[in-house]
Amino acid sequence: MTQTPEPTPFTQAGDTRTSAKISRDTISAVSVAVLCVLLLLSARLVSPALGSWTQVETVLVLGFFLVVLSYGQGLVILSGGLDLSLPATITLGGILATSWVGANDPNAWYLLPVVLMICGLVGLMSGIGVVWLKVPPFIMTMAMSIIVASALLGYTNGTPRGAAPTAAVALMKTELLGLPTPVIVLVAFVAMGWLFQSRSIYGRYLYAIGTNLDAARIAGVPVTMMQILPYVISAMCAGFVGIALVGYSSGATLRMGDDYLLPSIAAVVIGGSSILGGRGTNLGTVGGAILLTTLGTIISALGMEFGLRTVIEGSIVLFALLLLREELFQKLRNLWR
Amino acid sequence: MNINRMKTSVATAALAAASLTWAAQAQAQDGEKFKIYLSLSYSGNAWQSEAANIVKALAATPPYDTQVELIENISGTDPQAQIAAYESMIDDGADAIISFPISSTALNRTIRRGCDEGVLFFMYDGTVTEDCAYNVSFLSAGFGENTAQALVNELGGKGKIFLSRGVPGNSVDQRHTDGAMSVFSKYPGIEIVAEYYSFWDDRTTQQETAKALAAHPQVDGVWAQAGEYGVIQALLDAGRPLVPMTGENSAGFRRALADPEMQAKGLRGVSSGSGPAQSGYAFKLAMEILTGQRELEPQNIEYPLPWVPAAEVKICEGDSYTDGCNVFPESKVPSSFVSEVLNPVLLPEINVESALNGTPVPGATIQPLPADVVVTANNEPGINCDPCEAAPDLYKLTKVEATVQP
């Protein structure tokens, strides 16, 4: 009777949960990275040229777009929303970079931040619609997407003109410190993103909002501002991807963003985030994006029918998702105990 | 997918509304005009926009400007939407429908109904197997086999090559590839090390080629469908030498072929393939039939295969293809611009501004097509006729001769 141990297990359980929460996110980020390396190494079976440093560089350059994009998508998902306007916003960034900046003065690098701001405005409108007008994020961002895409069709008459701004070309096509510039920029981008999401008060606010909006409001989180902000950042990331794509392929098209919507959501989910918000790390998302790009590179080297290749690609994504699920880590942790 | 579709349909609705008001105005001036519909797939890539723009420019050029009421409609990439669009056009009393068909078979029943009500159907670039429609297309002109032979000649009959294909499962991609394989399979020295789908898009081509380059350290040549400019960019990105290659008609590719710097890096090849000019040709044929200037039964009409080897690329100084020039400089058109949009013989009355903006050339009038212009196309089962027999010499070379033997 005197030895009722009730309080002790309670604190212990609490401690375990805190440590479990941190390690869970770390584990999922690490596992995605390990999976990438394994994939690259096993790729040697497909073709001896694969798995080389050249291929890693190719993957990082091709993955640049998805990493940047899924960071923005990740923030929106973390705060409990979803951004479907990414393809149109990418195209907006790309078209403004060529038809406005590139057509007038390709050297006007100082106009590129203005392009990002205009893209940010699209995000601001989505955010306002979601938070103040209470339109569901799915509908609001889809509507913005349609409006922006149609406006661009009208603006360009179907043929985007102009050349890529020199700054955008330099971003994608030069080398810095012996590495391709996009790889260096990518590392800097991920570091900044990590600081914002995991080490700043604003990042913490987003976790709070995504976990429980009412609790966050009561706790004094500026919920209105913090719910709009992810949409703005996401739209600016998409605009940045648009500019980068223009630098990469030296021109814009009206469908340049179409291939990126679903991969951006998939990268976030594979990276261990909850699609319902409140959980996940940006390092996991980066891993998810790199994993998807690596997979695409290897799959396209397989000499198979296109249909079969796509089936394999889909199966591996599904497998990765199942493998990285929380339950599995819980079981593993139990084994270690 | 659904989102894309919705996006397109909203854009379509907006454009349809705009063209309807325009149509209403036109009708107010003159009730006797021919009612001609222009039915597109997706407006949003350079090819489709240019094809639509030149028809609009022609319709605004005298004397067509007083004879034609042109109504544009965009159906997206869904055959059902185009069927519905055709149905409305037929019910609205169309005299002719000029169209890029989304499917070669799905539209047949609706086209048949339209023919029975006296509507002329003119398909451009793509074809339908319904025999009451006129197909105006380069498809039967042998893009695949001719470019493949040109590449084999450049490579001296041996080497490792990439195939950059179009859209998986598409009959046009299949026809091009079958034609090319009829040549490649004859040469044991030609090894296809990578084959990928680039969806006829520059950016996708660039990314897919970059992936293939990472996996294959050696490539000696590339056979590409539209999107070919991406191949050059991917090779340059990877720091590889350029190689002999064939592709379609992008301004970027043609300018590169003529660029001494690119040639020094190893670029050689030929620009061929699909041209938006087909829409203008189809429209003028339809008008000549409607106005009684030409008698022509529904049939498959071949658009001559564009064929511009590197040595024949010439950059234009003016706004049209005069003096044998065949590509516009970077200051005029982006690299994705499809160069085969003007044609000095078939479409002398329009220029580059018509292709970009749909505006007529001031002072120009419609010139009649040459009397003996119509070339009947070969039967291609499942592509422009069904059921029918394929011609025995289906993959006969027309533009090049084999200079190396297997």
Side-chain angles (χ1 to χ4, degrees), chain A residues 133-192:
Chain A
L133 306 178
K134 304 270 182 256
V135 184
F138 184 89
I139 303 296
M140 187 62 216
T141 53
M142 190 172 75
M144 282 310 291
S145 188
I146 295 170
I147 293 169
V148 171
S150 309
L152 286 172
L153 181 61
Y155 172 62
T156 58
N157 265 329
T159 315
R161 299 198 211 187
T166 43
V169 178
L171 168 69
M172 296 310 293
K173 302 254 166 144
T174 52
E175 293 214 334
L176 204 66
L177 310 171
L179 284 171
T181 311
V183 175
I184 308 243
V185 173
L186 192 63
V187 172
F189 178 88
V190 170
M192 268 165 41

Side-chain angles (χ1 to χ4, degrees), chain B residues 25-43:
Chain B
Q25 285 165 355
Q27 213 163 19
Q29 291 164 3
D30 189 348
E32 298 289 301
K33 289 183 167 185
F34 293 112
K35 195 181 254 182
I36 296 190
Y37 278 90
L38 176 61
S39 169
L40 307 175
S41 164
Y42 175 78
S43 180

Side-chain angles (χ1 to χ4, degrees), chain B residues 103-291:
Chain B
S103 156
S104 61
T105 51
L107 306 162
N108 284 353
R109 186 184 288 265
T110 313
I111 294 175
R112 183 80 246 173
R113 182 173 92 81
C115 290
D116 291 344
E117 301 205 3
V119 183
L120 294 183
F121 280 88
F122 269 81
M123 303 297 156
Y124 61 85
D125 192 61
T127 51
V128 294
T129 55
E130 172 56 56
D131 56 17
C132 77
Y134 297 80
N135 289 315
V136 176
S137 174
F138 81 112
L139 271 181
S140 55
F143 165 77
E145 51 271 31
N146 281 292
T147 49
Q149 186 65 55
L151 184 64
V152 169
N153 290 352
E154 284 285 359
L155 293 173
K158 60 178 192 302
K160 296 183 170 175
I161 62 169
F162 290 174
L163 302 190
S164 172
R165 296 180 59 173
V167 174
N170 183 289
S171 61
V172 174
D173 165 73
Q174 198 58 48
R175 167 64 183 83
H176 290 341
T177 309
D178 288 347
M181 290 311 295
S182 76
V183 173
F184 291 139
S185 57
K186 282 193 290 201
Y187 290 86
I190 295 284
E191 189 192 345
I192 297 168
V193 289
E195 182 177 348
Y196 44 90
Y197 289 93
S198 304
F199 294 78
W200 294 319
D201 175 76
D202 281 1
R203 194 177 35 78
T204 314
T205 307
Q206 187 179 357
Q207 298 194 350
E208 290 301 315
T209 308
K211 290 176 189 172
L213 285 171
H216 302 282
Q218 199 201 338
V219 59
D220 306 308
V222 181
W223 179 85
Q225 297 184 24
E228 68 282 347
Y229 188 54
V231 173
I232 298 182
Q233 302 217 58
L235 284 165
L236 291 175
D237 285 351
R240 302 282 192 96
L242 296 178
V243 294
M245 61 173 285
T246 59
E248 300 205 18
N249 301 309
S250 71
F253 180 46
R254 283 198 183 174
R255 289 193 293 245
L257 282 175
D259 184 347
E261 202 180 318
M262 299 284 191
Q263 289 169 353
K265 286 181 178 163
L267 181 65
R268 277 168 292 155
V270 58
S271 155
S272 180
S274 167
Q278 296 167 104
S279 70
Y281 179 34
F283 177 58
K284 280 177 76 173
L285 274 177
M287 282 305 292
E288 292 193 350
I289 293 170
L290 282 174
T291 54

